[in-house]
Amino acid sequence: MEAAVDLPDDALYNIAAVERDTGLSKDTLRVWERRYGFPTPVRDRHDERLYSTGQLEKLRLLRLLIDHGHRPGKIINQSNVELTQLIASRAPEQTPPPEIAALIALLTSHDTDGFRNALLQALMKQGLLRFVTETVAALNYWIGEAWLAGKIAVFDEHLYSEHVQNILRNAIIAQPGRGSAPRVLLTSLPGEKHRIGLLMVEAVLVAEGGACVALGTETPVIDIQNAAPAYQVDVVALSFSSAFTQNAALAGLTELRALLPDSIEVWGGGGALARARKAPAGALLLRSFDDMRYALERWRVEHAQR
Amino acid sequence: MEAAVDLPDDALYNIAAVERDTGLSKDTLRVWERRYGFPTPVRDRHDERLYSTGQLEKLRLLRLLIDHGHRPGKIINQSNVELTQLIASRAPEQTPPPEIAALIALLTSHDTDGFRNALLQALMKQGLLRFVTETVAALNYWIGEAWLAGKIAVFDEHLYSEHVQNILRNAIIAQPGRGSAPRVLLTSLPGEKHRIGLLMVEAVLVAEGGACVALGTETPVIDIQNAAPAYQVDVVALSFSSAFTQNAALAGLTELRALLPDSIEVWGGGGALARARKAPAGALLLRSFDDMRYALERWRVEHAQR
DNA sequence: AGCCATTTCTGTCCAGGACAATATGGAAGC
DNA sequence: GCTTCCATATTGTCCTGGACAGAAATGGCT
């Protein structure tokens, strides 16, 4: 029994590596072992945990399902195969429209140049506004689905994110005109890392002739409070992907609303708020890009007479 | 139920927030308290640690000095003032060159368009390679210094990062030619969020005629392992900013080296590795952009005969 | 159906002990 | 003088097992 190459199959990972690769904290890993009897890593000579590749794999499946609403206690004792089926059964066999399917096919065939060119072509054909609200939005959705179904690799998703960022940032810079009122400060709260949503909003804003001060992701509330007057913005807009809890998103909006002067509006949008019933007092919920365009128009009407 | 209105100055941070803001692990924070008597957070009604703004500040100074070679036990009982002096004495009263100072002045005056235009102008004047290795590198350094000295706000740093990203991504896309060998897969490991370093590397690579597959930040090792053959790359390059521990960076390189076939080279660079003594067997340490250009050249010579 | 109270579940925090990995400092050898 | 090696000191990470807050699920009420 001799392997020509070191097979990664019998590799062992210490708890720090598992935390890094699964996003599950060391405390969580230990408490799962204590409560549910999984994972059961072997120990090295100094009684430190060493996790097998199979356990690491299962932990990643669990993480995925938990992020999509399953409870750990219900699924932790199922086998890898059962978990994979659970993931597959989630989405009722739908297929994306052909344009989107073609783009995804380019991505999964690892044809980086082809994918980039196809995106650029779609942008040219549709213009920035439609490109963002139709193509990119649909891509986000269907790539998420494909990922759940195991049809797309994590690294493909990374590459997708990079390409879309490149193209959107490029288009935003290229947009003619310097933008007028309202000036919108755009960012997300700590914990919210999803950059594409922010860039999509920025693209729409710029396309509609607004001016955008983009701070990127994960700005602490206090720093937003300080930045808003410094940049003399009219609106502070926050994006919450579905990685955020709806409650956490609403709490963030409420906190920010309390900290900012009344003259500055607070807008919130994104997946976490798509199903929210009502906005916190004094804040505005944007459930779609159309909502945002109406909000822009309303702001301009209200501030027209001066 | 408690009514909590946070005022920035007497704000209190729980141990998770401090870990996030300082990069010191919870274990380290607790063991320092036990051993050295610092920090001494107050406790909430459930005996959980709450760190004051001042202690958070001191912890950040300590982290910084430790990253620069000081030992914790020697400096942990000095005051904030003494630590600040220690930092100041580290870089003997230097001032940034006038071009850099002018850019920083635009940034701190919140003149977003002016800052953007000045960056674009520098790029046009210098070309991509010099812009990255001179202007952006210097800006990173001096903005870090300005932050240490309290001369720059967190949100200004966020805005800086966004603008540089816009410009670099724009320049990378605009670069003529599709790039040839070697094909380099470029990313960072989970925990390493610093995007500008990655983009700088990508810009230099592209400017030198290489082909780059950029996966963005925080790609788990397993996914890198899978991506490398899928994209048929010749080299996997990882970037570690000084937010990473040197040990963690070296461990990551070692792990990756073991998982990838010998035909794929492993390169690592960035602040965390700047003072590393020797590279893990089979990996290459790049301590500067020049190192990277030499490495590219060497690779091309070695693979010239076909 | 919607709303509120109660129970269950789950992640994070705690204390204090242990030890591996690294850095330091000095002695020995070239 | 300079490296090389080894003993010692320092420092970060991991361990166990207990506790509890906050989120989610459940049930009872209008």
Side-chain angles (χ1 to χ4, degrees):
Chain A
M1 53 168 227
E2 178 234 20
V5 189
D6 269 291
L7 291 175
D9 282 348
D10 50 10
L12 293 174
Y13 303 85
N14 66 20
I15 196 169
V18 175
E19 175 181 47
R20 220 191 36 207
D21 288 355
T22 63
L24 299 166
S25 77
K26 295 175 186 125
D27 274 326
T28 300
L29 289 167
R30 294 196 197 102
V31 90
W32 280 9
E33 184 177 343
R34 208 195 308 166
R35 277 195 195 131
Y36 309 119
F38 180 87
T40 49
V42 299
R43 302 302 182 104
D44 67 7
R45 70 186 177 315
H46 189 53
D47 248 20
E48 305 198 338
R49 292 171 174 79
L50 291 176
Y51 296 82
S52 70
T53 307
Q55 295 200 323
L56 178 62
E57 185 59 30
K58 179 164 170 186
L59 287 169
R60 300 179 102 203
L61 294 174
L62 287 170
R63 173 68 200 260
L64 186 69
L65 285 162
I66 290 165
D67 282 349
H68 283 80
H70 287 81
R71 307 300 307 274
K74 308 263 182 184
I75 55 175
I76 200 164
N77 283 315
Q78 307 197 23
S79 71
N80 275 17
V81 177
E82 289 170 317
L83 293 175
T84 309
Q85 285 169 354
L86 207 53
I87 291 171
S89 70
R90 204 195 60 87
E93 285 307 322
Q94 290 176 356
T95 53
E99 322 85 71
I100 303 299
L103 282 167
I104 292 181
L106 283 173
L107 184 65
T108 53
S109 70
H110 312 308
D111 178 1
T112 59
D113 289 341
F115 182 65
R116 196 193 73 142
N117 290 335
L119 279 181
L120 278 174
Q121 211 173 336
L123 171 60
M124 293 306 161
K125 189 171 153 193
Q126 304 182 301
L128 183 54
L129 197 58
R130 280 186 53 219
F131 176 69
V132 168
T133 57
E134 296 175 15
T135 302
V136 178
L139 266 178
N140 282 343
Y141 175 79
W142 286 108
I143 284 180
E145 288 294 309
W147 180 62
L148 277 180
K151 291 176 187 161
I152 205 173
V154 171
F155 56 81
D156 283 326
E157 226 188 343
H158 276 237
L159 197 79
Y160 163 69
S161 171
E162 286 297 303
H163 276 288
V164 172
Q165 273 192 63
N166 281 340
I167 286 175
L168 287 183
R169 288 182 189 265
N170 196 37
I172 289 167
I173 279 200
Q175 199 69 8
R178 295 269 17 90
S180 60
R183 284 172 64 82
V184 179
L185 188 151
L186 179 64
T187 186
S188 73
L189 296 186
E192 172 57 68
K193 302 179 180 181
H194 210 268
R195 314 181 74 84
I196 298 215
L198 280 176
L199 278 172
M200 290 168 73
V201 174
E202 185 176 354
V204 171
L205 263 171
V206 168
E208 294 284 341
C212 196
V213 179
L215 295 187
T217 57
E218 306 200 71
T219 309
V221 175
I222 294 180
D223 295 303
I224 300 176
Q225 183 193 3
N226 293 331
Y231 289 105
Q232 303 183 334
V233 297
D234 306 303
V235 176
V236 170
L238 295 184
S239 167
F240 301 92
S241 78
S242 40
F244 241 67
T245 317
Q246 177 175 304
N247 285 345
L250 292 173
L253 286 176
T254 307
E255 186 181 351
L256 199 57
R257 173 68 285 172
L259 291 174
L260 290 174
D262 287 344
S263 59
I264 298 180
E265 297 197 3
V266 174
W267 298 357
L273 295 171
R275 270 184 287 278
R277 307 185 162 279
K278 56 174 190 175
L284 193 61
L285 286 193
L286 311 177
R287 293 187 183 76
S288 67
F289 283 110
D290 280 339
D291 273 7
M292 188 172 80
R293 295 164 65 192
Y294 299 145
L296 275 173
E297 205 175 323
R298 181 196 50 73
W299 189 95
R300 284 179 173 142
V301 170
E302 284 180 13
H303 294 74
Q305 76 288 14
R306 44 162 301 109
Chain B
M1 178 121 345
E2 56 178 346
V5 177
D6 329 51
L7 295 173
D9 276 348
D10 52 9
L12 293 173
Y13 303 84
N14 65 21
I15 196 168
V18 175
E19 176 180 46
R20 178 165 46 76
D21 289 356
T22 63
L24 298 165
S25 76
K26 294 169 188 138
D27 275 325
T28 299
L29 289 167
R30 294 195 197 102
V31 89
W32 279 8
E33 184 178 344
R34 209 195 307 167
R35 279 196 193 131
Y36 309 120
F38 180 88
T40 50
V42 299
R43 302 301 182 105
D44 67 8
R45 66 191 177 314
H46 188 53
D47 247 23
E48 305 198 338
R49 291 171 174 80
L50 290 177
Y51 297 83
S52 69
T53 307
Q55 295 199 323
L56 178 62
E57 184 61 28
K58 178 164 169 185
L59 288 169
R60 293 169 102 172
L61 296 175
L62 287 171
R63 171 68 201 259
L64 190 76
L65 286 162
I66 290 166
D67 283 347
H68 284 80
H70 288 80
R71 309 298 306 275
K74 307 266 182 185
I75 56 175
I76 200 163
N77 283 315
Q78 306 198 25
S79 71
N80 274 16
V81 177
E82 290 169 316
L83 293 176
T84 309
Q85 285 169 352
L86 212 50
I87 290 170
S89 69
R90 185 182 54 84
E93 280 310 319
Q94 290 179 353
T95 53
E99 321 86 70
I100 303 299
L103 282 167
I104 292 181
L106 283 173
L107 184 65
T108 53
S109 69
H110 311 309
D111 179 1
T112 58
D113 289 340
F115 182 64
R116 197 194 74 142
N117 290 336
L119 280 181
L120 277 174
Q121 212 172 337
L123 170 60
M124 294 305 160
K125 189 170 150 194
Q126 303 181 303
L128 183 53
L129 197 59
R130 279 187 55 219
F131 177 69
V132 167
T133 57
E134 295 176 16
T135 302
V136 177
L139 266 177
N140 283 343
Y141 175 78
W142 286 106
I143 284 180
E145 290 290 313
W147 179 73
L148 280 180
K151 290 176 186 162
I152 204 170
V154 172
F155 56 81
D156 283 326
E157 234 185 333
H158 275 238
L159 198 80
Y160 163 69
S161 172
E162 287 295 304
H163 271 128
V164 171
Q165 273 192 64
N166 281 339
I167 286 176
L168 286 184
R169 286 181 190 267
N170 197 36
I172 288 167
I173 279 200
Q175 200 68 10
R178 296 266 22 89
S180 60
R183 284 172 66 81
V184 179
L185 190 151
L186 179 64
T187 186
S188 73
L189 296 187
E192 171 58 68
K193 303 178 180 178
H194 210 268
R195 313 182 76 82
I196 297 213
L198 280 176
L199 279 173
M200 290 168 72
V201 174
E202 185 177 354
V204 170
L205 263 171
V206 168
E208 294 285 343
C212 195
V213 178
L215 296 187
T217 57
E218 307 201 68
T219 308
V221 175
I222 296 179
D223 296 303
I224 300 177
Q225 182 196 358
N226 294 330
Y231 289 105
Q232 302 183 333
V233 298
D234 307 303
V235 176
V236 170
L238 295 183
S239 167
F240 301 92
S241 79
S242 42
F244 239 70
T245 317
Q246 178 175 305
N247 287 346
L250 291 174
L253 287 176
T254 306
E255 189 181 345
L256 199 58
R257 174 67 285 172
L259 292 175
L260 289 174
D262 287 345
S263 58
I264 299 179
E265 297 197 3
V266 174
W267 298 357
L273 294 171
R275 62 184 59 237
R277 299 180 171 280
K278 57 174 187 173
L284 194 60
L285 287 192
L286 311 177
R287 294 188 180 76
S288 67
F289 284 110
D290 280 339
D291 274 6
M292 189 173 79
R293 296 164 68 191
Y294 298 146
L296 275 174
E297 204 175 324
R298 180 193 52 72
W299 190 95
R300 284 177 172 146
V301 169
E302 284 180 12
H303 294 74
Q305 75 287 13
R306 37 172 303 113

